[in-house]
C-alpha cells in the first residue's frame, strides 16, 4: 500500500518518534532517510512511502497517534 504523508498537526511533534515510526512501517526506508523525511513532513511538504499490506492497520494507527495526516494512494 502506498501512503502520502501530508503533514503533522501535533503542537510539539516528536521528531525522533516520527522518524522511528516511518522507518518501522515502511518497507524500504532506512533510519537516516526517515530522519530526512520527517524534516520534510514537519516543514509542510508531502512525502510518499510504501507500507507492507500485512502491517497496514497498525501503521495507520501509529500515524494517527503521532497526529500525522495521510492519504492512501494505492
Amino acid at each position: 500500500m502506498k501512503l502520502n504523508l501530508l503533514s503533522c498537526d501535533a503542537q510539539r511533534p516528536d521528531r525522533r518518534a516520527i522518524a522511528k515510526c516511518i522507518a518501522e512501517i515502511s518497507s524500504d526506508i532506512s533510519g537516516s532517510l526517515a530522519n530526512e523525511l520527517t524534516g520534510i513532513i514537519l516543514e509542510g511538504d508531502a512525502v510518499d512511502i510504501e507500507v507492507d499490506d500485512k502491517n497496514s492497520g497498525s501503521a495507520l494507527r501509529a500515524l494517527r497517534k503521532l497526529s500525522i495526516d495521510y492519504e492512501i494512494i494505492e
Side-chain angles (χ1 to χ4, degrees):
M1 171 173 40
K2 288 188 102 163
L3 294 177
N4 190 11
L5 305 181
L6 303 171
S7 64
C8 181
D9 294 335
Q11 293 241 338
R12 296 182 59 177
D14 185 351
R15 292 179 68 94
R16 189 172 58 188
I18 294 170
K20 182 178 176 186
C21 178
I22 291 172
E24 288 176 357
I25 66 173
S26 64
S27 56
D28 60 348
I29 295 180
S30 66
S32 60
L33 181 56
N35 285 329
E36 287 181 41
L37 295 178
T38 299
I40 293 169
I41 293 168
L42 294 178
E43 289 174 3
D45 295 327
V47 172
D48 292 339
I49 63 170
E50 182 85 27
V51 178
D52 292 331
D53 287 334
K54 63 181 179 176
N55 296 333
S56 62
S58 60
L60 298 179
R61 280 191 300 277
L63 293 173
R64 284 192 301 267
K65 185 176 180 182
L66 292 169
S67 299
I68 297 175
D69 292 331
Y70 62 87
E71 66 181 2
I72 300 172
I73 299 172
E74 292 178 7

